[in-house]
Amino acid sequence: MVFFGRPGSRGGSRPRKRAGKVDPEGKLREKLRAHMRKKEVEEWQQPTENTHFKAFKHGHKGYQAMESQVPPPKFPSTLASFVLVFEIDPEWDPDEDDIPDGQEPPQSFAKLNMQPLLDKLRSADMIVREEKFGTYSKGTRECFALVSISEKRQKQVAEIMGMKLRMKALDDEDNEIKQGGAWHPFKQHLAEFYEKSSEGTLFSSCQQCQIMEFMLNERDERAMGPQLIQKEACEPGNTPLQQLVKDQRIKGYFYLHHMHKQDWLEENWVNTWANKQPIEDIREYFGEEIGLYFVWLGYILTSLWVPAIVGVMVFIVSMVAAGQSGSTDNPFNPLYAIFIALWSIMVRAGWERLETTYQYQWGTVDYEEPEQDRTEFVQNVKTYKRLNYISQKEEFYPDPLWRYIFVFAGFLAVCALIAVNILLVLLIEAGKSQIQEFLGLEHAAGMVPKVLGASVQATVILLMRKAADIAFGYLTDFENWKSQEQYDNATIAKRFCFGFINSYFCIYFVAFMANHISVFGVDVSCPEHKCIDYVEWMIGVIFLSNILVRYFTTKFYPPRRAPEPKKPGQKEEPPEPADDDDDVDKPPLQEAIETQHGLPDWESTMDDFTDKLIEIGYVMLFGAAFPLLALIALIFNIIDLRAHAKTVLSNYRRPEYSSAADIGTWKTIMDIFSIMSIMSQCAYLGFTTRALYYYFPGMNTMENVFYVVAAEHLLLMLKVYMDGHTQEPDDSVKMAHERREYEKNELLSEKDLFNSQTDVLFYTSDDGNVHVVGPDKGKDGKDGKDKKK
């Protein structure tokens, strides 16, 4: 390479001058300079494919790297994504062949709608990626904007939210103890003392989505959100995102699953049968509400092992007794009935203790559900405003007369459906008895009449339950409840009152009343007044029908997203023809977005709790009458637990974060089942089976009733005692909680030197390091201007 330097400099030498002659070395130097400039211009104007750098056209300055030299952009997997869905139009990407020469492409109004929103997101220091797969002509109608925020921005907003994180805990050798620290609201200057999530980030993907939703919905002005729409332009009760959907500026929004964590849960939770549930990972990924639900499912599953094993042994004895005497009555039936009653008491008391234990572990001991008005309540025509004289703020309140009318109407509807259900049960039993009499089987103990009657009863139960759920949904909407908790409690009350009669009345009728009354003049008593065999068949058929129908419905008819409402004047478009490109493997991100966009939104755990408690109720109420019931329930719950995990993880969009300290009203329903279990088992011993005569062969009817009532009162007293002594967890749990709180307070007293009155936090770089500036903060921690935390 030739280097031309300034005369006298290191790169060149001073030319020698001769008198009267031109220096030939100087001419050569000028020629070389001109040649190099000419060659440089030619390479600039006519770049070749073999050059390492591609020049701009003439008139531009600088160089640009070739595409082969620029590495493909790689988005960090540590950042979660909040997806906004936009609609595209045919003008978004028109076909160049359809545009006449000399004309500009048509303007896309969808782009004009989307770009200002994306610009606002970027101006709020949010990371936005636009993903559009395919073209409008190939059936693609959406463009997806993936919104993320940097860790520095996460820290700023999390402190404003008061988000709680678990602090680090160290052993004696300064090794970190996973999930061993106390919970504390996030503070930026204490970031290094918080425990990282299982995803390797300070904030889990669920918390990141929660932070982004907080910003997008403008929950607090200090977060400096993007202000996608002015709050004054939102209808009462609507958040900015909900208003954008209603105004059709966006089609929807949802949390995008964290692909690595979702795959991990799929492998270690859904597809694993032998290992325990990763409860901490479930709570971290979905929130405390769903985490508690799966804790409860696992607890019920574990509790079923003991009655299942004992029930198998009692069933074997019952079969031996049936072979010898023709009846399943045996000396072990009374013992197993008392055992089931005790088991139901212990299940309720044990859950209370386990729930309190998780409250200490998850930092939800003092959690209170924030009071927030439902959107449907605020926008209801029977909702009005008034001034609260205590807070001096306007608040919404329902029309009292309207509320009373529809609450009473709901009560009448529940009573009417219960009456219809009871009438159908009586008609079925009367019809069965008439058929038996017509066929000459009224005194026969054959299997066909029992299975036929039980199958019809099971069909009626399923159909009536489905119809009642639809009716109760409309009735609760008309009652216009203020908060979501009130709405859920009203729905649960209706479902439980009807569901109890719908699921169990037919069994109660056959077990306790069929031998003592006639229905519409028809004798519905059992052959020789022994109904125990018919009760066993009815319990088995109804229980199996209930769980099998629900399992196969979930398995083969997964939930689907409701079709989008048509716009005014929109015509139905024919289905797009299949494209050969559909067979090509799609990138993982594209497949994940398209799949989750087509899934329905997660609603709540209400339906799951209702179905599960109805199923467990069969074991608590009638486990002694059909000893194999606990075993069947155990097997199904083992399968159903993983099916529920698959449903939450893959069959719905990712649920929004929801916290909870307990399971709420369902504990009250467990209390009711526990009390009814005591009464049912004692009534079974006194009025259905004659197994007590093995122990008291000479007792009369009054003595039988006395023994049963005495046993019932003793069991109820035991339940009251257990309820009063199981509110608190074990001493070891409380001591561990107190130790964590003590260590947290010691750390804060030593490290938390930030004074909100005099000190200011600021960032010095993008790495997220926080510095504290104050009059008494120095580098040595005593005096000065600056101290790094």
Side-chain angles (χ1 to χ4, degrees):
M1 181 178 68
V2 178
F3 178 81
F4 296 98
R6 188 180 57 197
S9 65
R10 186 176 179 180
S13 59
R14 186 180 299 275
R16 298 178 181 179
K17 294 184 179 181
R18 295 180 181 180
K21 294 184 179 180
V22 178
D23 183 10
E25 187 177 355
K27 289 185 178 181
L28 179 62
R29 191 186 302 271
E30 291 296 332
K31 289 182 180 180
L32 286 174
R33 285 178 176 173
H35 176 72
M36 293 295 294
R37 283 196 299 269
K38 182 178 179 182
K39 185 176 180 181
E40 190 173 322
V41 170
E42 290 177 353
E43 291 180 354
W44 187 15
Q45 294 179 349
Q46 299 179 0
T48 62
E49 295 296 332
N50 294 328
T51 57
H52 293 290
F53 291 94
K54 189 175 183 179
F56 284 112
K57 291 184 178 180
H58 184 66
H60 293 270
K61 296 181 180 180
Y63 292 91
Q64 180 180 359
M66 294 178 61
E67 294 183 2
S68 60
Q69 287 187 319
V70 178
K74 186 176 181 181
F75 191 79
S77 60
T78 57
L79 299 183
S81 297
F82 190 97
V83 182
L84 301 178
V85 186
F86 294 88
E87 187 175 11
I88 67 174
D89 52 14
E91 292 78 20
W92 186 288
D93 47 4
D95 192 350
E96 296 181 357
D97 298 335
D98 297 337
I99 302 175
D101 296 338
Q103 291 188 8
E104 295 183 356
Q107 194 173 34
S108 171
F109 291 98
K111 280 187 178 180
L112 293 177
N113 166 64
M114 184 184 72
Q115 287 303 327
L117 297 179
L118 300 189
D119 292 341
K120 289 182 178 180
L121 292 172
R122 294 187 175 101
S123 66
D125 200 13
M126 305 183 82
I127 305 169
V128 182
R129 292 174 291 163
E130 301 176 36
E131 298 288 348
K132 185 177 71 66
F133 311 112
T135 61
Y136 187 90
S137 60
K138 293 184 178 182
T140 303
R141 300 291 188 269
E142 294 90 13
C143 177
F144 304 97
L146 277 64
V147 184
S148 305
I149 51 176
S150 63
E151 184 174 338
K152 181 178 75 174
R153 195 78 167 95
Q154 294 170 23
K155 293 177 180 178
Q156 296 171 349
V157 182
E159 183 170 0
I160 297 172
M161 295 172 62
M163 179 178 289
K164 284 188 175 183
L165 269 68
R166 184 182 270 129
M167 305 197 75
K168 292 180 180 178
L170 304 177
D171 58 13
D172 296 337
E173 298 179 356
D174 291 339
N175 297 318
E176 185 175 348
I177 304 173
K178 289 296 183 182
Q179 303 163 5
W183 294 83
H184 185 69
F186 179 76
K187 303 292 183 183
Q188 297 182 65
H189 59 288
L190 299 174
E192 59 180 311
F193 301 108
Y194 292 98
E195 181 180 323
K196 289 187 175 182
S197 68
S198 62
E199 299 167 7
T201 56
L202 181 60
F203 299 96
S204 66
S205 58
C206 181
Q207 291 171 327
Q208 292 181 39
C209 291
Q210 186 184 358
I211 293 171
M212 286 185 281
E213 187 177 11
F214 183 87
M215 296 178 62
L216 295 173
N217 283 327
E218 302 292 336
R219 304 288 186 187
D220 195 317
E221 294 180 355
R222 295 175 297 169
M224 301 181 66
Q227 293 186 353
L228 299 177
I229 186 173
Q230 295 295 328
K231 284 190 174 181
E232 293 76 9
C234 296
E235 296 181 5
N238 278 351
T239 62
L241 288 177
Q242 292 173 339
Q243 189 63 40
L244 289 173
V245 173
K246 186 169 185 179
D247 295 342
Q248 297 183 356
R249 297 193 64 185
I250 63 175
K251 293 187 66 176
Y253 55 91
F254 58 92
Y255 291 4
L256 186 67
H257 274 287
H258 190 281
M259 288 191 289
H260 297 303
K261 190 65 177 182
Q262 186 184 24
D263 293 341
W264 187 92
L265 289 172
E266 184 86 20
E267 180 180 356
N268 296 277
W269 181 33
V270 177
N271 298 328
T272 302
W273 297 81
N275 297 339
K276 293 182 179 179
Q277 296 186 92
I279 293 298
E280 284 293 334
D281 296 274
I282 298 170
R283 178 207 58 80
E284 180 185 89
Y285 194 74
F286 294 111
E288 286 78 12
E289 182 181 0
I290 295 180
L292 265 181
Y293 170 68
F294 281 99
V295 170
W296 183 81
L297 279 184
Y299 172 75
I300 293 297
L301 174 60
T302 305
S303 302
L304 284 170
W305 278 99
V306 176
I309 295 173
V310 178
V312 170
M313 296 187 290
V314 174
F315 179 77
I316 295 173
V317 176
S318 299
M319 291 297 100
V320 173
Q324 295 177 352
S325 61
S327 174
T328 56
D329 285 340
N330 63 84
F332 293 97
N333 278 351
L335 299 179
Y336 189 60
I338 300 299
F339 171 79
I340 289 294
L342 292 172
W343 173 77
S344 65
I345 296 173
M346 300 306 297
V347 166
R348 171 62 181 86
W351 169 251
E352 183 75 30
R353 177 166 294 183
L354 180 63
E355 185 181 66
T356 310
T357 301
Y358 275 98
Q359 288 176 1
Y360 281 106
Q361 291 182 2
W362 293 349
T364 58
V365 177
D366 301 325
Y367 175 79
E368 294 183 2
E369 186 73 22
E371 290 290 337
Q372 187 174 0
D373 295 343
R374 296 170 56 242
T375 302
E376 296 82 1
F377 168 77
V378 174
Q379 298 178 356
N380 195 295
V381 294
K382 295 298 181 180
T383 299
Y384 308 110
K385 274 188 176 182
R386 67 182 175 189
L387 181 66
N388 189 321
Y389 294 102
I390 299 176
S391 62
Q392 295 298 316
K393 295 181 180 179
E394 287 188 337
E395 64 178 12
F396 293 97
Y397 74 100
D399 186 336
L401 181 60
W402 179 273
R403 168 71 59 79
Y404 294 147
I405 289 174
F406 277 95
V407 168
F408 185 68
F411 171 76
L412 292 179
V414 172
C415 294
L417 287 171
I418 288 175
V420 171
N421 195 95
I422 291 174
L423 180 62
L424 289 175
V425 171
L426 298 179
L427 289 175
I428 292 171
E429 289 303 313
K432 181 182 74 68
S433 298
Q434 291 281 39
I435 293 174
Q436 283 182 313
E437 183 179 358
F438 178 76
L439 298 177
L441 300 174
E442 63 271 21
H443 298 294
M447 182 178 66
V448 176
K450 301 173 185 176
V451 175
L452 179 63
S455 300
V456 176
Q457 294 284 10
T459 304
V460 171
I461 287 173
L462 295 173
L463 295 178
M464 286 292 295
R465 185 185 302 169
K466 187 66 175 178
D469 288 345
I470 298 174
F472 294 155
Y474 285 109
L475 287 171
T476 310
D477 289 338
F478 279 114
E479 291 170 3
N480 194 25
W481 293 101
K482 183 180 179 71
S483 66
Q484 188 64 40
E485 183 180 3
Q486 293 174 339
Y487 181 89
D488 291 342
N489 290 340
T491 305
I492 292 170
K494 295 183 183 68
R495 287 188 176 184
F496 173 70
C497 291
F498 174 78
F500 191 91
I501 302 298
N502 171 253
S503 301
Y504 310 131
F505 175 76
C506 58
I507 303 175
Y508 277 119
F509 176 79
V510 174
F512 307 129
M513 293 181 284
N515 290 333
H516 305 284
I517 64 174
S518 60
V519 178
F520 307 118
V522 178
D523 183 15
V524 294
S525 61
C526 301
E528 300 179 3
H529 290 268
K530 294 182 179 180
C531 294
I532 182 63
D533 297 336
Y534 185 29
V535 169
E536 291 176 351
W537 277 104
M538 183 173 287
I539 294 171
V541 171
I542 292 176
F543 183 74
L544 284 173
S545 301
N546 184 71
I547 62 177
L548 290 177
V549 167
R550 191 168 68 85
Y551 176 76
F552 285 109
T553 300
T554 306
K555 183 74 174 178
F556 298 105
Y557 297 96
R560 300 179 183 274
R561 187 160 62 99
E564 299 175 359
K566 295 182 181 179
K567 297 180 180 180
Q570 181 182 4
K571 297 181 180 179
E572 185 175 356
E573 299 181 0
E576 298 292 336
D579 195 351
D580 295 338
D581 296 339
D582 294 341
D583 298 334
V584 180
D585 292 338
K586 299 178 181 179
L589 180 61
Q590 175 182 352
E591 185 175 0
I593 294 176
E594 291 180 347
T595 300
Q596 296 174 39
H597 173 57
L599 297 176
D601 291 321
W602 173 261
E603 295 180 357
S604 68
T605 57
M606 182 191 300
D607 294 338
D608 299 320
F609 265 117
T610 303
D611 294 337
K612 276 297 172 185
L613 277 172
I614 291 294
E615 293 168 9
I616 299 303
Y618 282 104
V619 181
M620 290 184 172
L621 301 179
F622 312 112
F626 187 51
L628 281 183
L629 199 60
L631 177 63
I632 297 173
L634 173 65
I635 296 173
F636 175 73
N637 274 271
I638 293 174
I639 301 172
D640 195 49
L641 177 62
R642 307 301 170 176
H644 269 74
K646 179 70 174 179
T647 298
V648 176
L649 193 63
S650 303
N651 292 349
Y652 287 92
R653 290 177 178 176
R654 184 173 181 175
E656 297 181 2
Y657 172 81
S658 180
S659 182
D662 51 43
I663 60 174
T665 310
W666 304 111
K667 283 198 299 185
T668 305
I669 295 179
M670 289 180 70
D671 260 330
I672 296 174
F673 272 118
S674 180
I675 296 172
M676 292 301 300
S677 174
I678 296 172
M679 300 175 66
S680 298
Q681 303 308 323
C682 293
Y684 167 75
L685 292 178
F687 302 103
T688 304
T689 181
R690 299 187 179 184
L692 278 179
Y693 287 92
Y694 285 101
Y695 298 95
F696 309 101
M699 70 177 178
N700 54 33
T701 304
M702 290 301 297
E703 291 175 338
N704 186 14
V705 173
F706 173 79
Y707 292 143
V708 168
V709 172
E712 177 190 16
H713 280 65
L714 288 175
L715 290 170
L716 288 174
M717 291 173 61
L718 176 63
K719 174 176 169 47
V720 172
Y721 175 81
M722 294 297 297
D723 290 344
H725 290 77
T726 57
Q727 299 294 330
E728 297 295 329
D730 296 334
D731 293 338
S732 59
V733 176
K734 297 182 67 175
M735 289 181 62
H737 173 71
E738 293 172 358
R739 177 184 55 79
R740 291 193 295 265
E741 291 295 323
Y742 172 78
E743 292 176 351
K744 181 190 75 172
N745 294 331
E746 288 292 316
L747 177 65
L748 293 178
S749 64
E750 178 184 354
K751 302 294 184 181
D752 193 4
L753 304 177
F754 173 68
N755 187 345
S756 60
Q757 301 295 328
T758 59
D759 300 342
V760 178
L761 297 178
F762 72 97
Y763 286 91
T764 59
S765 62
D766 291 336
D767 61 0
N769 291 330
V770 181
H771 290 257
V772 179
V773 175
D776 57 348
K777 301 292 191 297
K779 294 182 179 180
D780 56 356
K782 297 180 180 179
D783 299 319
K785 297 288 185 180
D786 185 13
K787 179 180 178 181
K788 182 177 178 181
K789 297 290 181 184

